[in-house]
Amino acid sequence: MNVNSLSQRLYKVATYLPEGSHFADIGSDHAYLPCYVCLRDETARAVAGEVNQGPYESARNEVTLHSLQDRIDVRLGNGLEVLEKDEVNQVVIAGMGGPLIRDILEAGKKKLGTVQRIIAQPNIDSRSIRRWFLNNGYSLVDESILEESGHIYEILVAEQGDAGKPYDKQQIDKELWLGPYLLKQGGVTFRKKCQEEMDKKKYVLEQLKKASSVDPKKIEGLNNEIMWLKEVLDYDRN
Ligand code: SAM
């Protein structure tokens, strides 16, 4: 991968940045995303944040290679700490686990004052980010799912606003887990993810049933999740 052939995952993330965006890419590694965006949009500017020295150096080198130092500021630091208050309008956090993305948002929420849009691409556990959005006044406005190199990735896009809007109160637990937009969109990749989840949940349920002491709450939770997955898989088949 390089700036000229971005992964499909990062390409999809980039499509959620409006023209002329001034954004932060937190956990920027090689700074591929900000370089890609700034090379295609001369009005875009970015802060590339990295907590680790090696990826920070790689990001700096990539930015220098494309002579983008005047529009991409590479900064070494933890999460949103690298930002001044009200400095950027969009924040991207991609390629990490959902709980880490949530923790970065939580620790840095004072820096999110003027941030209109957050684009999160968790590798696992997107539910933890949907929950954070819901509890912190960010309304989920879109979701995508895609498969690349054998992995299924979700992308969540949220904007300041009515955080409860995308959810149906009767189904909120299911929607927080599987995604309110993804549930509506369906599709082959979403169905594949649901089938994989179904296999995992059924396996865990079988193991739990074999255990000497059974936790009825856990069994009930798993049965609910299996029922939600079955709804998706049965619906898509029709
Ligand atoms: N965002 C790129 C992508 O999606 O391809 C890089 C993903 S890479 C797997 C995760 C990067 O996040 C690593 O370079 C890591 O050093 C960085 N990282 C992890 N925790 C971080 C934090 N708290 N603040 C800033 N960067 C972090």
Side-chain angles (χ1 to χ4, degrees):
M1 186 173 71
N2 58 50
V3 283
N4 297 314
S5 73
L6 213 56
S7 63
Q8 284 177 50
R9 174 181 63 82
L10 284 181
Y11 173 76
K12 187 68 191 173
V13 167
T15 64
Y16 286 114
L17 288 165
E19 214 179 306
S21 56
H22 186 193
F23 70 102
D25 181 32
I26 301 299
S28 199
D29 200 349
H30 287 80
Y32 288 143
L33 177 76
C35 288
Y36 174 86
V37 171
C38 289
L39 286 172
R40 273 153 192 81
D41 173 6
E42 61 182 26
T43 61
R45 286 180 298 145
V47 174
E50 244 305 327
V51 77
N52 287 310
Q53 189 72 34
Y56 164 76
E57 301 288 347
S58 307
R60 278 177 63 104
N61 291 340
E62 191 70 22
V63 169
T64 307
L65 183 70
H66 301 287
S67 305
L68 286 168
Q69 301 94 312
D70 57 334
R71 289 196 286 132
I72 303 175
D73 200 0
V74 184
R75 299 179 190 166
L76 183 64
N78 188 3
L80 302 176
E81 278 175 13
V82 296
L83 297 176
E84 302 297 325
K85 196 169 178 295
D86 300 343
E87 192 182 8
V88 294
N89 301 322
Q90 299 85 19
V91 167
V92 173
I93 313 181
M96 302 175 208
L100 177 55
I101 295 178
R102 175 206 55 208
D103 291 348
I104 289 174
L105 291 169
E106 180 62 26
K109 58 183 172 184
K110 285 204 181 101
K111 300 285 178 69
L112 292 173
T114 53
V115 172
Q116 296 146 3
R117 174 170 275 202
I118 299 172
I119 304 156
Q121 184 273 296
N123 291 341
I124 53 156
D125 191 6
S126 51
R127 173 161 46 189
S128 53
I129 301 174
R130 289 191 192 94
R131 278 218 180 98
W132 189 90
F133 287 151
L134 182 65
N135 294 332
N136 289 277
Y138 280 87
S139 178
L140 202 59
V141 295
D142 202 3
E143 295 172 316
S144 293
I145 190 161
L146 61 102
E147 185 171 11
E148 186 171 43
S149 310
H151 294 281
I152 293 179
Y153 299 106
E154 288 174 51
I155 300 170
L156 313 185
V157 186
E159 293 180 348
Q160 287 190 24
D162 179 357
K165 198 174 164 195
Y167 298 102
D168 172 350
K169 276 201 182 103
Q170 313 297 320
Q171 306 210 60
I172 192 158
D173 289 333
K174 172 182 166 183
E175 291 175 336
L176 280 168
W177 182 38
L178 296 173
Y181 295 93
L182 296 178
L183 279 160
K184 284 191 191 89
Q185 288 159 21
V188 176
T189 309
F190 182 60
R191 190 181 154 78
K192 185 170 178 184
K193 184 207 142 115
C194 288
Q195 187 59 59
E196 286 175 6
E197 286 292 338
M198 180 71 112
D199 296 344
K200 278 190 231 159
K201 297 293 170 189
K202 280 186 170 168
Y203 177 78
V204 174
L205 186 62
E206 286 314 308
Q207 298 307 307
L208 271 183
K209 283 181 179 165
K210 281 186 209 155
S212 49
S213 74
V214 177
D215 179 346
K217 277 229 144 128
K218 263 199 177 156
I219 302 262
E220 192 192 328
L222 276 165
N223 276 327
N224 273 336
E225 290 180 337
I226 288 171
M227 180 185 72
W228 296 334
L229 292 167
K230 199 168 165 341
E231 279 168 18
V232 172
L233 293 167
D234 286 352
Y235 180 79
D236 250 22
R237 206 176 297 142
N238 295 327

